[in-house]
Amino acid sequence: MEHFTIATVAEKSPDFRRVLWTGEHTQLVIMTIPPGGEIGEEVHEGIDQILTFVSGTGEARVAGEKREVVQGDLVVVPAGTKHNFVNTGPNPLVLYTVYGPPEHADQAVHRTKEEADAAEAAGEDEPPTS
């Protein structure tokens, strides 16, 4: 059994992105977006995403709509939908997200957005295949 006190685990991670668990159909990832930072506009074809915000303040930009997000908010991003999440506050924006199916390499850790982008560009952040 995998068990996480997810808000505590997410709050303790300074990493931009850390994969906590990867299953056959879903993946659990924690993220910390620094003040002024963002995930970056993207589209996941064939992958649904659910993001839950643990702390900080930000702006969700999903399918052309914008909405403030704060602790306790949850945003659903259906597969094929353009999205971005931006930290608009003075503190880190901390969240956990579930991808279905997995989007990243199992146990991947990217300390910064730049590191994450480089790993993706180099093909080093591919999800496991069945």
Side-chain angles (χ1 to χ4, degrees):
M1 171 193 340
E2 295 288 337
H3 177 269
F4 301 98
T5 306
I6 193 65
T8 303
V9 171
E11 281 284 341
K12 288 182 179 179
S13 176
D15 301 313
F16 175 74
R17 181 168 54 224
R18 177 180 290 269
V19 175
L20 290 182
W21 180 83
T22 302
E24 184 178 347
H25 303 287
T26 58
Q27 184 173 64
L28 176 62
V29 176
I30 55 177
M31 297 187 76
T32 299
I33 304 168
E38 62 182 87
I39 289 176
E41 189 171 85
E42 58 188 0
V43 175
H44 303 298
E45 296 297 341
I47 298 172
D48 293 321
Q49 186 175 8
I50 300 170
L51 302 95
T52 303
F53 295 86
V54 174
S55 64
T57 57
E59 184 176 78
R61 301 174 183 173
V62 180
E65 293 184 46
K66 295 180 182 181
R67 180 166 290 170
E68 180 184 25
V69 289
V70 297
Q71 179 182 0
D73 285 351
L74 183 146
V75 176
V76 175
V77 180
T81 304
K82 186 184 295 186
H83 61 282
N84 190 8
F85 295 87
V86 179
N87 184 339
T88 58
N91 300 311
L93 180 61
V94 179
L95 64 103
Y96 61 93
T97 182
V98 176
Y99 294 95
E103 167 69 1
H104 300 287
D106 189 29
Q107 299 183 22
V109 176
H110 301 119
R111 291 171 192 22
T112 64
K113 180 176 182 341
E114 293 75 23
E115 188 178 299
D117 290 346
E120 288 177 16
E124 298 168 355
D125 189 33
E126 296 299 315
T129 56
S130 304

